[in-house]
Amino acid sequence: MPLAMNRDVFITCAVTGAGDTVSRSSHVPITPKQIADSAIDAAKAGAAVVHCHVRDPETGAASRRNDLYREVTDRIRSADIDVVLNLTAGMGGDLIFGDVESPLPLNVKGTDMAGASERVSHIAECLPEICTLDCGTMNFNLGDYVMTNTPAMLRAMAKKMTDLGVRPEIEAFDTGHLWFAKQLAEEGLIEDPVLIQLCMGIPWGAPDDLNTFMAMVNNVPQSWTFSAFSIGRNAMAYPAAAVLAGGNVRVGLEDNLFIGKGQLATNAQLVEKAVQVVEGMGARIIGPEDVRKKLKLTKR
């Protein structure tokens, strides 16, 4: 594939995620106000899109409560700066087996399985411009946890998102996820323009070495728009890799807590650093209105 650097780049900030990061950094937002404020700060720093999970305000644990999503949505939409809202729809597929000798019954603590309608109920209520669709099942990190997204579940969720007029952002953790995304497009369950997020370096999906990354990039149809990120130590190197490969950028505290060695970051600082990298490469940062035109989004 010839080098085709992207010259007009949008940045997504993944504001908080669902992982156990709250104990590791005081900058990880927990309450709806904190999440919205951090998203707004990221937008002011240059993010055109904010990708939001919600957390239990008391414990900091990941949550699927619609009232929390509603408050985050309302706060961001009433802010004094424009930004494209992207809500996760990845929750509700968490399966934790018992142990290696007795996988059943399931471990109730942490297992969270919901039907398609329940998994997108907050999307139907809040109607963000974008929502995520994790396009496959995979062993996820350590222990007996499996992130489950069956073909039937993904088809049902994709149809509901499309019927709502919300643009799915396909989160692809490996090449097979891209293969299934193409199938969803062929069946008309997701519509052009298709948006892909290449999720690199998450155990045990696609590793974030450049050979694997380019294998992922080369499996994205030329007419589709893609963005990419890596987690942890390579997170702040990936803005350069993504732009050089023709894509867009994602940073944020969902993926990485540090701006430098031993230096905890805020979302705004991660976005500011990404802006510096992108502009230093000679590319232009585009804003939310340009993203809406590019992706044919419905602003609400």
Side-chain angles (χ1 to χ4, degrees), residues 195-230:
L195 174 62
I196 295 283
Q197 185 70 248
L198 302 180
C199 310
M200 309 299 298
I202 291 90
W204 301 103
D208 62 5
D209 64 88
L210 290 179
N211 283 338
T212 304
F213 177 51
M214 288 312 299
M216 296 281 278
V217 170
N218 289 336
N219 274 283
V220 176
Q222 195 167 13
S223 63
W224 293 10
T225 296
F226 80 90
S227 182
F229 72 94
S230 179

Side-chain angles (χ1 to χ4, degrees), residues 14 19 24 34 42 93 107 172 249:
R24 295 163 55 201
Q34 290 171 347
N107 186 334
V249 170

Side-chain angles (χ1 to χ4, degrees), residues 109-178:
K109 185 179 180 181
T111 293
D112 178 31
M113 298 293 290
S117 295
E118 185 177 349
R119 289 182 71 173
V120 299
S121 62
H122 63 295
I123 304 301
E125 179 175 337
C126 298
L127 292 176
E129 294 170 76
I130 301 171
C131 68
T132 57
L133 185 67
D134 297 343
C135 221
T137 293
M138 63 179 280
N139 294 330
F140 206 97
N141 207 343
L142 304 174
D144 295 296
Y145 170 43
V146 178
M147 178 182 75
T148 61
N149 295 287
T150 66
M153 177 68 76
L154 290 170
R155 284 185 169 96
M157 291 176 66
K159 185 177 188 308
K160 290 177 185 298
M161 294 168 182
T162 298
D163 289 348
L164 288 167
V166 177
R167 176 76 60 207
E169 178 191 62
I170 301 297
E171 291 203 336
F173 296 80
D174 219 332
T175 51
H177 300 180
L178 289 170

Side-chain angles (χ1 to χ4, degrees), residues 47-278:
V49 183
V50 289
H51 170 55
C52 298
H53 291 65
V54 294
R55 294 178 179 269
D56 185 307
E58 301 298 324
T59 67
S63 176
R64 290 193 288 108
R65 282 171 47 188
N66 284 20
D67 62 315
L68 300 178
Y69 279 109
R70 178 80 264 170
E71 184 176 347
V72 168
T73 297
D74 290 345
R75 287 181 178 275
I76 291 173
R77 285 180 174 159
S78 63
D80 58 355
I81 188 166
D82 188 23
V83 69
V84 173
L85 180 61
N86 174 345
L87 295 182
T88 184
M91 307 293 291
D94 298 335
L95 188 65
I96 300 181
F97 291 93
D99 58 48
V100 295
E101 298 297 340
S102 303
L104 296 177
L106 296 175
N107 186 334
V108 176
K109 185 179 180 181
T111 293
D112 178 31
M113 298 293 290
S117 295
E118 185 177 349
R119 289 182 71 173
V120 299
S121 62
H122 63 295
I123 304 301
E125 179 175 337
C126 298
L127 292 176
E129 294 170 76
I130 301 171
C131 68
T132 57
L133 185 67
D134 297 343
C135 221
T137 293
M138 63 179 280
N139 294 330
F140 206 97
N141 207 343
L142 304 174
D144 295 296
Y145 170 43
V146 178
M147 178 182 75
T148 61
N149 295 287
T150 66
M153 177 68 76
L154 290 170
R155 284 185 169 96
M157 291 176 66
K159 185 177 188 308
K160 290 177 185 298
M161 294 168 182
T162 298
D163 289 348
L164 288 167
V166 177
R167 176 76 60 207
E169 178 191 62
I170 301 297
E171 291 203 336
F173 296 80
D174 219 332
T175 51
H177 300 180
L178 289 170
W179 186 7
F180 191 71
K182 294 174 191 175
Q183 183 64 30
L184 291 177
E186 185 176 316
E187 294 174 13
L189 294 170
I190 57 175
E191 300 175 340
D192 287 331
V194 176
L195 174 62
I196 295 283
Q197 185 70 248
L198 302 180
C199 310
M200 309 299 298
I202 291 90
W204 301 103
D208 62 5
D209 64 88
L210 290 179
N211 283 338
T212 304
F213 177 51
M214 288 312 299
M216 296 281 278
V217 170
N218 289 336
N219 274 283
V220 176
Q222 195 167 13
S223 63
W224 293 10
T225 296
F226 80 90
S227 182
F229 72 94
S230 179
I231 64 169
R233 64 185 300 175
N234 290 331
M236 293 315 297
Y238 251 73
V243 171
L244 199 59
N248 299 281
V249 170
R250 171 172 140 174
V251 292
L253 293 177
E254 177 176 356
D255 309 324
N256 163 51
L257 300 177
F258 296 90
I259 194 70
K261 188 173 182 179
Q263 297 176 279
L264 290 171
T266 65
N267 279 307
Q269 288 172 331
L270 293 172
V271 172
E272 288 167 357
K273 184 71 174 285
V275 169
Q276 292 172 6
V277 171
V278 173

